[in-house]
Amino acid sequence: MKIAVYPGSFDPITNGHLDIIERGAKVFDELIVAVLVNVEKKGLFNVDERVKLIEKVTKNYKNVKVESFNGLLIDFMKEKNANVILKGLRAVSDFEYEFQMALMNNKLDPEVETVFMMTNAQYSYLSSSAVKQVAKFGGCIKELVPDEIIPDVIKKIKGE
Ligand code: PNS
């Protein structure tokens, strides 16, 4: 059984992330979306909220699970018996950082492979931080994040 882990901050999940999840779920037997618990970086949503938002928009994918992890990704992979890291690549600017992480993870555990999927061109400009900025200044976030979570994002940005 091929288990892949799709790690990230997901603060919040965007349509770009969801596109990778949908495609990844078709390629792997099981896909674990893993939200990083980063104590140094306070996000808009806390980790439990991020997990819940991802669960809300992936509930129809039977082979997708959502979890959180802290520490090294490679340790989480071992715990889950997974040996593929799935990442999305948007633009050349992503490459350097992703290349470094893939090599580091492979050095930490040579059994682990990182598989990259090219982001759908439609979402190549999209990032969680851009969504937060647009929402903060009252811009429209339709088509940037899944419809089901638009009210959650707006409410959170307004501090309600
Ligand atoms: O969505 P992001 O913020 O680009 O995701 C980054 C993430 C979570 C994939 C990365 O920070 C990560 O894997 N962190 C865990 C720490 C780790 O394993 N570091 C070693 C690889 S350099």
Side-chain angles (χ1 to χ4, degrees), residues 7-10 17 34-36 38 41 69-75 85 87 90 97-98 100-102 104-105 108:
S9 304
F10 304 105
H17 295 133
V35 182
L36 173 70
N38 187 346
K41 212 169 130 192
F69 75 103
N70 52 34
L72 287 178
L73 174 60
I74 231 70
D75 292 333
I85 300 170
K87 299 300 292 278
R90 286 168 301 191
Y97 175 63
E98 294 297 344
Q100 187 192 10
M101 274 206 290
M104 178 59 86
N105 285 323
L108 293 173

Side-chain angles (χ1 to χ4, degrees), residues 86-104:
L86 176 65
K87 299 300 292 278
L89 265 190
R90 286 168 301 191
V92 181
S93 50
D94 280 345
F95 180 81
E96 209 170 325
Y97 175 63
E98 294 297 344
F99 186 50
Q100 187 192 10
M101 274 206 290
L103 292 182
M104 178 59 86

Side-chain angles (χ1 to χ4, degrees), residues 42-143:
K42 200 185 168 296
L44 174 65
F45 290 96
N46 69 36
V47 169
D48 287 344
E49 291 168 333
R50 294 180 210 179
V51 167
K52 288 210 173 75
L53 292 180
I54 305 170
E55 280 173 345
K56 200 192 237 189
V57 300
T58 59
K59 60 179 187 299
N60 293 332
Y61 302 103
K62 297 295 165 238
N63 61 339
V64 174
K65 275 194 201 156
V66 191
E67 300 198 18
S68 60
F69 75 103
N70 52 34
L72 287 178
L73 174 60
I74 231 70
D75 292 333
F76 178 76
M77 305 280 300
K78 266 199 201 96
E79 196 187 303
K80 297 291 157 189
N81 217 3
N83 54 6
V84 176
I85 300 170
L86 176 65
K87 299 300 292 278
L89 265 190
R90 286 168 301 191
V92 181
S93 50
D94 280 345
F95 180 81
E96 209 170 325
Y97 175 63
E98 294 297 344
F99 186 50
Q100 187 192 10
M101 274 206 290
L103 292 182
M104 178 59 86
N105 285 323
N106 189 260
K107 165 83 182 139
L108 293 173
D109 184 348
E111 293 299 309
V112 166
E113 288 295 343
T114 303
V115 169
F116 291 98
M117 274 186 180
M118 302 314 293
T119 287
N120 188 321
Q122 196 185 344
Y123 304 124
S124 58
Y125 61 91
L126 196 48
S127 68
S128 299
S129 5
V131 167
K132 284 182 274 193
Q133 275 191 29
V134 172
K136 187 172 166 192
F137 296 107
C140 176
I141 56 169
K142 198 168 165 46
E143 289 170 22

